[in-house]
Amino acid sequence: MGVVIPLEDNKNKQASIKPLVDLTKSGMERVNQLILSKAGSDVQMIPEVANHLISSGGKRLRPMLTLATAAMFGYEGDHHIKLATSVEFMHTATLLHDDVVDESDLRRGKSTARTIWGNQASVLVGDFLLGQAFRMMVEVGSLDALDVLSTAACVIAEGEVLQLSVAKNMETTEDDYLAVIRAKTAALFAAAAEVGPIVAKTDKATRSALKSYGMNLGLAFQLVDDVLDYGGKSAETGKNVGDDFREGKITLPVILSYRRGTAEEREFWKQSIEGGQSDDERLERALSLIAKYGALNDTIQRAQHYGTIARDALAPLPDTAWKHALNDVIDFCISRVN
Amino acid sequence: MGVVIPLEDNKNKQASIKPLVDLTKSGMERVNQLILSKAGSDVQMIPEVANHLISSGGKRLRPMLTLATAAMFGYEGDHHIKLATSVEFMHTATLLHDDVVDESDLRRGKSTARTIWGNQASVLVGDFLLGQAFRMMVEVGSLDALDVLSTAACVIAEGEVLQLSVAKNMETTEDDYLAVIRAKTAALFAAAAEVGPIVAKTDKATRSALKSYGMNLGLAFQLVDDVLDYGGKSAETGKNVGDDFREGKITLPVILSYRRGTAEEREFWKQSIEGGQSDDERLERALSLIAKYGALNDTIQRAQHYGTIARDALAPLPDTAWKHALNDVIDFCISRVN
């Protein structure tokens, strides 16, 4: 790969997810135990498939959000443990179904469940985990939390279908794309951060604040993910540079480069994304066009915009270690590109 | 097809689903409206895919069970309408995912959604309908109903995975097979019949009675479905005779014929089901072996056994038109083979 994409220096180099990890450590141990127990089944293939994905080394950011947003208000029961596990199961189910939908062979550098056990097992074990997620929510017994998470389940599925219908269409606008990532990624971040204050029985304004924090953090997270695909270290994402390009996925760096390009450049993008011509030589050209129009830096700036909204959403909350940790997560999500 | 399978005269030739259809008519109109409204989405592909399956002419037996088992205790609100719709959506989601898992091209004689819109849309629209089902349950707000239906969602997925792991294994016992159909079919019948008494706030014994009725009705229903595949009219099921054989599916008629057969006949079954040799000539032989060992009649007798349990479960309930209609449904399910 001959093209190096220079990314602007990010001011938050020290940003880290570590404060959040430290604060939620004992809670996450309980979540991890519950994950293993609820992924169990007498039907042997279920824990096999589930554990393959569960043990594949994700950061578990979503369940940490649920733990933090309950514990920061002094909540000490076990409802947040169960809801955090539900959130992680919803995420895992989505990944299993996504791999079938995208026909992916690799996730985070490991073979996907569907290449080992087949599409069948991926669809059905995803359904099982979703069912277990709902059972845990029912155990908690909060209709508000059930409302938030069942609505998120619908919105996520809707977002995935929307993504299918914008797929390989270069006329997709930035707004269309935002609607997709708001539904398929940010909605679960928002729900994860909203059920914490629900179990902690805070006032409505606090609940809205954390929902807004989660939503905007999720948008920033996904935009940076899109940047990493064209300039990231594959160790960070388990993806190789250009995977999205080769799969004809429309993401913001591509949308910006297309809309800012010449007629001839737009034709190049159409042939690449809509026409499926995406060999290494064309990837080189795509990377140089992305660099020419500053599309990665501008995508990062969009991410910073949403990060700022997330920070302002948190601003009125009491100045605690929890709040600092949640603010650090914003910077961490964005600074992954460095 | 040269082989005609004589089925024993069934004593319940007059059995009909009509009394249940008549009694639930106005309720089912409300369910059908709710189905159309909740299958709606701004994402155009969702109602397209959902309506394809929803309008494909199923009998809607499951939601009728929910309506009947609430209305028979005088319930007059709208909770049973919402839960009946949830049950039908859970069923529809399962069918969408099943078609992907089985790689089916036809369902009830029509092209499956996956052949028209692709596996992707079938997986994701199934997820959407499942999400909508849970949202409606949350609207109803009964944690007991949520518990019953979310547990059913898990059990169904578990049953489907179990079916994968017994697939194409001729050593599957009748017990193994019963465990599969109990989970993948009967559990939803049981849940559909249990949430009626839950919204009608009956006593626990009544709730257990109707759960048991639904479970055993579901077992009888599935066993007869398996018989129809080897001797039915394709107009009834939308399946052609021998579809299960060609797909290498293990059902009770096959299990009985295998276990009762000679060593040479067992070898034939292994080559057919495990080895995938299932051309028309071999189907002829399979049909003649099934006839030789009376496997269809004996499968129907098993169905009658579960039908009797369902009837006895209902026995202590007050002698109303509703109870008669539910009893008629047992006979109807079994007499479909005539």
Side-chain angles (χ1 to χ4, degrees):
Chain A
M1 207 67 59
V3 181
V4 173
I5 315 256
L7 298 172
E8 251 176 37
D9 260 0
N10 190 299
K11 284 155 208 134
N12 300 300
K13 277 216 176 118
Q14 302 309 315
S16 166
I17 198 175
K18 193 166 177 300
L20 183 66
V21 169
D22 289 345
L23 284 169
T24 58
K25 191 161 189 291
S26 69
M28 283 303 293
E29 279 166 14
R30 292 162 71 194
V31 168
N32 289 333
Q33 277 174 358
L34 195 56
I35 285 175
L36 289 176
S37 129
K38 295 290 180 178
S41 164
D42 294 338
V43 182
Q44 196 189 342
M45 201 191 280
I46 291 179
E48 274 178 27
V49 175
N51 291 334
H52 173 77
L53 201 62
I54 288 166
S55 67
S56 72
K59 282 180 292 294
R60 307 239 160 115
L61 186 50
R62 295 163 190 81
M64 280 195 283
L65 289 181
T66 300
L67 294 186
T69 56
M72 72 192 294
F73 305 107
Y75 180 76
E76 286 185 338
D78 67 353
H79 287 179
H80 63 331
I81 305 290
K82 287 179 177 170
L83 293 179
T85 306
S86 293
V87 164
E88 185 66 6
F89 273 14
M90 285 174 67
H91 176 55
T92 308
T94 307
L95 295 184
L96 280 166
H97 287 184
D98 265 6
D99 286 340
V100 174
V101 167
D102 295 343
E103 302 179 346
S104 308
D105 296 328
L106 285 180
R107 176 172 293 281
R108 298 191 195 118
K110 281 177 71 174
S111 296
T112 54
R114 73 172 209 101
T115 62
I116 305 176
W117 291 278
N119 279 342
Q120 306 170 316
S122 296
V123 170
L124 298 174
V125 175
D127 289 350
F128 174 77
L129 293 178
L130 205 57
Q132 288 288 61
F134 278 103
R135 285 181 75 185
M136 280 184 280
M137 294 172 214
V138 173
E139 275 179 35
V140 168
S142 157
L143 286 170
D144 278 351
L146 272 158
D147 181 28
V148 166
L149 289 169
S150 62
T151 300
C154 278
V155 169
I156 293 166
E158 238 173 343
E160 304 264 359
V161 180
L162 186 61
Q163 187 172 36
L164 282 186
S165 51
V166 306
K168 299 186 194 289
N169 173 6
M170 277 312 309
E171 301 305 331
T172 303
T173 63
E174 179 165 347
D175 283 326
D176 295 333
Y177 182 65
L178 271 177
V180 168
I181 67 172
R182 193 178 286 277
K184 87 179 181 90
T185 305
L188 189 57
F189 276 77
E194 188 178 1
V195 294
I198 287 175
V199 299
K201 300 193 195 301
T202 70
D203 57 45
K204 273 204 165 177
T206 303
R207 186 175 147 177
S208 296
L210 283 157
K211 176 185 176 180
S212 171
Y213 164 81
M215 181 68 80
N216 287 286
L217 177 68
L219 291 173
F221 179 89
Q222 184 62 56
L223 288 168
V224 170
D225 238 36
D226 294 345
V227 168
L228 286 169
D229 198 84
Y230 284 101
K233 306 148 276 184
S234 77
E236 168 72 37
T237 58
K239 300 204 269 184
N240 297 309
V241 168
D243 276 353
D244 285 351
F245 181 77
R246 277 182 285 262
E247 290 171 22
K249 270 197 195 162
I250 308 237
T251 59
L252 191 56
V254 170
I255 291 171
L256 296 179
S257 305
Y258 174 78
R259 301 189 89 81
R260 295 171 180 181
T262 64
E264 187 271 332
E265 288 163 356
R266 283 203 291 276
E267 192 49 40
F268 163 82
W269 285 110
K270 279 190 184 246
Q271 286 168 358
S272 304
I273 300 289
E274 298 179 359
Q277 296 177 36
S278 53
D279 58 27
D280 282 357
E281 203 179 315
R282 296 183 72 94
L283 175 58
E284 292 286 320
R285 170 127 201 245
L287 287 165
S288 74
L289 290 176
I290 286 172
K292 175 178 173 187
Y293 292 106
L296 293 190
N297 279 326
D298 285 357
T299 300
I300 294 168
Q301 282 193 358
R302 297 319 204 249
Q304 279 166 339
H305 162 83
Y306 296 109
T308 305
I309 299 178
R311 188 182 311 276
D312 283 327
L314 285 188
L317 299 186
D319 199 31
T320 64
W322 291 102
K323 179 174 161 182
H324 286 280
L326 291 177
N327 272 323
D328 281 351
V329 168
I330 303 172
D331 296 330
F332 164 77
C333 282
I334 295 170
S335 67
R336 288 186 300 156
V337 288
N338 290 308
Chain B
M1 209 67 58
V3 180
V4 174
I5 315 256
L7 298 171
E8 251 177 36
D9 260 1
N10 189 300
K11 285 155 207 134
N12 300 302
K13 278 214 175 117
Q14 303 309 313
S16 166
I17 198 174
K18 192 165 178 301
L20 183 65
V21 170
D22 289 345
L23 284 168
T24 58
K25 191 162 189 294
S26 70
M28 281 305 291
E29 279 165 14
R30 291 162 71 194
V31 168
N32 289 333
Q33 277 174 358
L34 194 56
I35 285 175
L36 289 175
S37 129
K38 295 290 180 178
S41 164
D42 293 339
V43 181
Q44 196 189 343
M45 201 191 279
I46 291 179
E48 273 177 28
V49 175
N51 291 335
H52 173 77
L53 200 63
I54 287 166
S55 66
S56 72
K59 283 179 294 293
R60 308 239 160 116
L61 187 49
R62 296 162 190 80
M64 280 195 283
L65 289 181
T66 301
L67 294 186
T69 56
M72 72 192 293
F73 304 108
Y75 180 76
E76 287 184 338
D78 68 352
H79 287 180
H80 62 331
I81 305 289
K82 287 180 176 169
L83 292 179
T85 307
S86 294
V87 164
E88 185 67 6
F89 272 15
M90 286 174 66
H91 176 55
T92 309
T94 306
L95 296 183
L96 281 166
H97 287 184
D98 265 6
D99 287 340
V100 173
V101 167
D102 295 344
E103 303 179 345
S104 308
D105 296 329
L106 286 180
R107 177 172 293 280
R108 297 190 197 122
K110 281 176 72 173
S111 295
T112 54
R114 72 172 209 103
T115 62
I116 304 175
W117 291 277
N119 279 342
Q120 307 170 316
S122 296
V123 170
L124 298 175
V125 175
D127 289 350
F128 174 77
L129 292 178
L130 205 57
Q132 287 288 61
F134 278 102
R135 286 181 75 184
M136 280 185 280
M137 294 172 214
V138 173
E139 276 179 35
V140 168
S142 157
L143 286 170
D144 278 351
L146 272 158
D147 181 28
V148 166
L149 289 168
S150 62
T151 300
C154 278
V155 170
I156 292 166
E158 238 173 344
E160 304 265 359
V161 179
L162 186 61
Q163 187 172 37
L164 282 187
S165 52
V166 306
K168 299 187 194 289
N169 173 5
M170 279 311 310
E171 301 305 331
T172 303
T173 63
E174 179 165 348
D175 283 325
D176 295 333
Y177 182 65
L178 272 177
V180 169
I181 67 172
R182 195 177 287 277
K184 87 179 182 90
T185 306
L188 189 56
F189 276 77
E194 189 179 0
V195 293
I198 288 175
V199 300
K201 300 193 195 303
T202 71
D203 58 44
K204 273 203 163 176
T206 303
R207 187 176 146 176
S208 297
L210 283 156
K211 175 185 175 179
S212 171
Y213 165 81
M215 181 69 79
N216 287 286
L217 176 68
L219 290 173
F221 178 89
Q222 184 62 55
L223 287 167
V224 171
D225 238 36
D226 294 344
V227 168
L228 286 169
D229 197 85
Y230 284 100
K233 306 147 274 183
S234 76
E236 169 73 37
T237 57
K239 299 205 268 184
N240 298 311
V241 168
D243 276 353
D244 286 351
F245 181 77
R246 277 181 285 263
E247 290 171 22
K249 270 198 194 160
I250 308 238
T251 60
L252 192 55
V254 171
I255 292 172
L256 295 178
S257 304
Y258 174 77
R259 301 188 90 79
R260 294 169 181 182
T262 63
E264 188 270 334
E265 287 163 356
R266 282 202 292 275
E267 192 49 39
F268 163 82
W269 286 109
K270 280 191 181 242
Q271 286 169 1
S272 304
I273 301 289
E274 299 179 359
Q277 297 178 34
S278 53
D279 57 28
D280 281 358
E281 203 178 314
R282 295 182 73 93
L283 175 58
E284 292 286 321
R285 172 126 199 246
L287 287 165
S288 75
L289 290 177
I290 286 172
K292 175 179 173 187
Y293 292 107
L296 293 190
N297 279 325
D298 285 357
T299 300
I300 294 168
Q301 282 193 359
R302 300 311 206 253
Q304 279 166 338
H305 162 83
Y306 294 109
T308 305
I309 299 178
R311 187 180 312 275
D312 283 326
L314 285 187
L317 299 187
D319 200 32
T320 62
W322 290 103
K323 179 173 162 182
H324 286 279
L326 290 177
N327 272 324
D328 281 352
V329 168
I330 303 172
D331 297 330
F332 164 77
C333 282
I334 296 171
S335 67
R336 288 186 299 156
V337 287
N338 289 308

